[in-house]
Amino acid sequence: MIDNTIKCIKNKIEKNEKLKDELYSLILYGSAVRGDFIKGVSDLDFFAVVKTKDKILPSLREILEKCTKDIDAVEVDVAWEFLKNLDDLFNKGVPFKFLTVYQEDFLKNHVVIYGEDIAKILPKYKFEDLIEWRVKRLLMLSDANRGKLKMLHITAGEVARLLALLNGAKSLKKEDILETLHTFGDEDALSIYTSYLNKRSMSFDEDFLRKFITTRCDEILRALENPKTHQNQ
């Protein structure tokens, strides 16, 4: 089904002259490429690189939504950036998590639907160098999403995933994250992530989610400050 979707998208872009001229690259990445897409749970993740004019984006989104309508995705997510900003995402562009802290997964699991591959343009980022940045970003999102349970659950799920990666998960694949959380023994993290995989079947209140985010992020930050102490625990 993904192959047919890619063909549909490519054909429609080819027929749109303005889109063809302005779109440097369109990339599918994430679970649909990695192999752990779950119907009714996962998003379809696209990244568009625009040359100079972002006015093409509504037309592109319309094409993506038409070509993916038969795939049971929660959302068709279209992140985008100007080509001129790709060489310095933290200072010129948007430091999307998939291009920065999770860059390794993106580079391994992406398909160029249209245009050029951006792998050689991107600055190289290492996961271990961006952990502190990611944790502080998650804390900021927790504060920004007060009163928004869905967004808080997503943020808490991101914290659970980060905990799994810090404790030995082999990849971003959902089964690897789950297996590590089981082994690690953080029951709250496991409940939050399992609920996400089950279409958020468990309901958590705001106080629980915000406390989970805050306590786990603080623990990670303390471990970064005192790595030897953390290793001996």
Side-chain angles (χ1 to χ4, degrees), residues 1-9 28-29 31-33 37 43-46 67-68 71 73 111 113:
M1 182 176 288
I2 289 296
D3 288 341
N4 290 336
T5 299
I6 290 173
K7 185 177 180 180
C8 173
I9 295 168
L28 175 68
Y29 70 96
S31 60
V33 182
F37 180 88
D43 295 337
L44 273 178
D45 298 307
F46 294 93
C67 289
T68 60
I71 299 176
V111 174
I113 297 176

Side-chain angles (χ1 to χ4, degrees), residues 41 153 178 188-204:
V41 171
H153 194 172
L178 266 180
D188 288 343
L190 184 59
S191 295
I192 288 167
Y193 195 75
T194 301
S195 175
Y196 159 71
L197 297 183
N198 292 321
K199 301 182 181 182
R200 300 188 184 93
S201 56
M202 302 179 200
S203 58
F204 305 100

Side-chain angles (χ1 to χ4, degrees), residues 108-213:
K108 288 180 179 178
N109 300 292
H110 74 280
V111 174
V112 180
I113 297 176
Y114 183 84
E116 304 296 326
D117 197 346
I118 63 170
K120 292 183 179 180
I121 300 176
L122 292 173
K124 296 301 180 282
Y125 300 109
K126 292 183 179 180
F127 171 74
E128 55 269 26
D129 294 337
L130 295 178
I131 295 170
E132 182 178 355
W133 167 80
R134 182 61 179 157
V135 170
K136 290 179 178 179
R137 170 76 176 163
L138 291 168
L139 287 169
M140 183 274 290
L141 289 172
S142 178
D143 287 337
N145 288 315
R146 290 176 184 269
K148 301 175 183 177
L149 277 179
K150 178 181 177 180
M151 295 307 299
L152 283 172
H153 194 172
I154 291 172
T155 304
E158 288 289 334
V159 173
R161 181 163 67 166
L162 182 58
L163 283 169
L165 290 168
L166 291 171
N167 285 278
K170 294 178 289 186
S171 75
L172 288 180
K173 281 188 175 181
K174 296 174 180 67
E175 56 263 38
D176 288 342
I177 299 299
L178 266 180
E179 181 181 349
T180 303
L181 290 176
H182 273 291
T183 304
F184 180 49
D186 187 326
E187 293 299 327
D188 288 343
L190 184 59
S191 295
I192 288 167
Y193 195 75
T194 301
S195 175
Y196 159 71
L197 297 183
N198 292 321
K199 301 182 181 182
R200 300 188 184 93
S201 56
M202 302 179 200
S203 58
F204 305 100
D205 63 33
E206 179 169 349
D207 288 343
F208 171 82
L209 291 171
R210 283 181 50 78
K211 182 178 179 182
F212 171 80
I213 294 166

Side-chain angles (χ1 to χ4, degrees), residues 58-119:
S59 297
L60 178 60
R61 176 172 283 281
E62 184 179 351
I63 288 172
L64 296 178
E65 289 179 349
K66 283 182 178 179
C67 289
T68 60
K69 65 182 186 212
D70 293 329
I71 299 176
D72 188 12
V74 172
E75 185 176 348
V76 177
D77 187 47
V78 188
W80 71 277
E81 184 55 89
F82 287 115
L83 175 60
K84 65 181 182 179
N85 294 337
L86 285 186
D87 64 348
D88 190 359
L89 293 168
F90 281 96
N91 295 305
K92 291 162 59 178
V94 177
F96 295 109
K97 64 186 177 187
F98 61 90
L99 294 180
T100 54
V101 66
Y102 298 144
Q103 186 184 86
E104 182 179 355
D105 180 78
F106 175 82
L107 293 176
K108 288 180 179 178
N109 300 292
H110 74 280
V111 174
V112 180
I113 297 176
Y114 183 84
E116 304 296 326
D117 197 346
I118 63 170

